[in-house]
Amino acid sequence: MAYRFPVALLALVTVFAAFPVSASPVTFTIDSTQSQISLAIELTDGTPISTAQSPGSDTTTLFGTAQVDISPTSIQFFASGNGQFALQPEPQSPLADGTSGSAPAQYGLTIDIPGIGGGAGAVRQLVGDVTSSSLPLTGDSFDSTQLAMQFLTGSIAYNLNLLGTPVVGSADITFPVTNQASGGTLTVVGGQYVINIPILAVGEGDVDGITLLGVYTGQIVATAPVPEPTTAALVVAACCTWGVWRLRRDRRSEMQ
């Protein structure tokens, strides 16, 4: 009786070759030429109250790495603590404690609250992660609204005049905010994984009794070489090769 090899296993090899079989995360490099995040301050009713303090200082690029676990049907983002926000080319006001002066910062904003007052704000030492649970991967798409932006360090310094009263100081912004933008993708281009994450995240803070919203928008693009097939995949491939050879040999024997 001829040996019958399950041909469906051949398709399985292709899948294993393209995705890691183990749970070892893949290290992705954030592409600073394509990754940028803008910051705007709004009132709780959506009224924008911030503008760039110097040209483009409300937007910065990202660099660093991300740890991502990929399987044929899922994707998961792990905390790595290495999402870096680039400094502005010009110093921004105020200083880190809110006093007058300027120093390197990742964002520099001019604040104008209608009928109340305003001044300057600057964000410094911002380091973050994008994290998630294991998310279903359907084709090349995943639900990026299930991601969280976790700021591990960071503070905003402010020097304001509100209703004629100076308000000077700084506040930590180390809190997680849920991403609200959908459309995350994982593709393979030229032997590289490419992850694209659209960003819309809103954080809440309080300045002198006024609740303000920090609205982050933009995208993160990260790449990594597609790993070589794992040992398990190579074993499956070897079994497939042996099985095909055995099947052909048996068929030749039947014809003789």
Side-chain angles (χ1 to χ4, degrees):
M1 181 176 180
Y3 174 78
R4 292 293 179 259
F5 180 76
V7 178
L9 196 55
L10 290 170
L12 189 61
V13 176
T14 304
V15 173
F16 275 117
F19 293 92
V21 177
S22 69
S24 300
V26 177
T27 299
F28 277 74
T29 300
I30 299 172
D31 184 348
S32 62
T33 67
Q34 300 187 68
S35 302
Q36 62 179 27
I37 302 290
S38 297
L39 171 61
I41 307 299
E42 298 180 355
L43 299 179
T44 53
D45 63 1
T47 301
I49 60 169
S50 69
T51 55
Q53 191 179 124
S54 62
S57 64
D58 57 350
T59 300
T60 192
T61 59
L62 277 74
F63 62 97
T65 59
Q67 299 295 316
V68 187
D69 184 38
I70 301 169
S71 83
T73 58
S74 67
I75 185 169
Q76 182 172 6
F77 295 80
F78 294 98
S80 66
N82 198 29
Q84 308 287 328
F85 291 68
L87 293 173
Q88 295 295 321
E90 299 179 22
Q92 305 296 308
S93 301
L95 298 177
D97 60 358
T99 55
S100 297
S102 60
Q106 292 150 327
Y107 293 100
L109 302 174
T110 297
I111 309 297
D112 182 10
I113 307 174
I116 296 178
V123 176
R124 296 184 175 85
Q125 299 180 332
L126 198 59
V127 176
D129 271 329
V130 174
T131 60
S132 75
S133 59
S134 181
L135 305 177
L137 186 61
T138 305
D140 61 2
S141 301
F142 60 91
D143 185 2
S144 50
T145 65
Q146 299 302 306
L147 304 179
M149 290 181 63
Q150 171 70 62
F151 297 115
L152 306 177
T153 64
S155 65
I156 179 168
Y158 49 87
N159 189 313
L160 309 173
N161 190 298
L162 304 180
L163 298 174
T165 301
V167 177
V168 176
S170 65
D172 291 338
I173 52 175
T174 55
F175 51 79
V177 287
T178 301
N179 188 34
Q180 299 178 22
S182 60
T185 59
L186 169 68
T187 55
V188 177
V189 179
Q192 280 199 319
Y193 288 129
V194 180
I195 288 177
N196 190 303
I197 305 170
I199 297 294
L200 170 57
V202 181
E204 183 177 298
D206 182 273
V207 176
D208 201 42
I210 301 173
T211 300
L212 302 178
L213 303 179
V215 181
Y216 301 85
T217 57
Q219 69 172 4
I220 299 173
V221 177
T223 62
V226 175
E228 294 295 327
T230 62
T231 300
L234 292 174
V235 169
V236 172
C239 289
C240 286
T241 302
W242 176 82
V244 170
W245 173 83
R246 177 72 180 271
L247 180 58
R248 289 176 177 173
R249 190 196 67 175
D250 288 348
R251 285 179 175 174
R252 286 197 300 267
S253 297
E254 290 177 349
M255 295 174 63
Q256 292 175 355

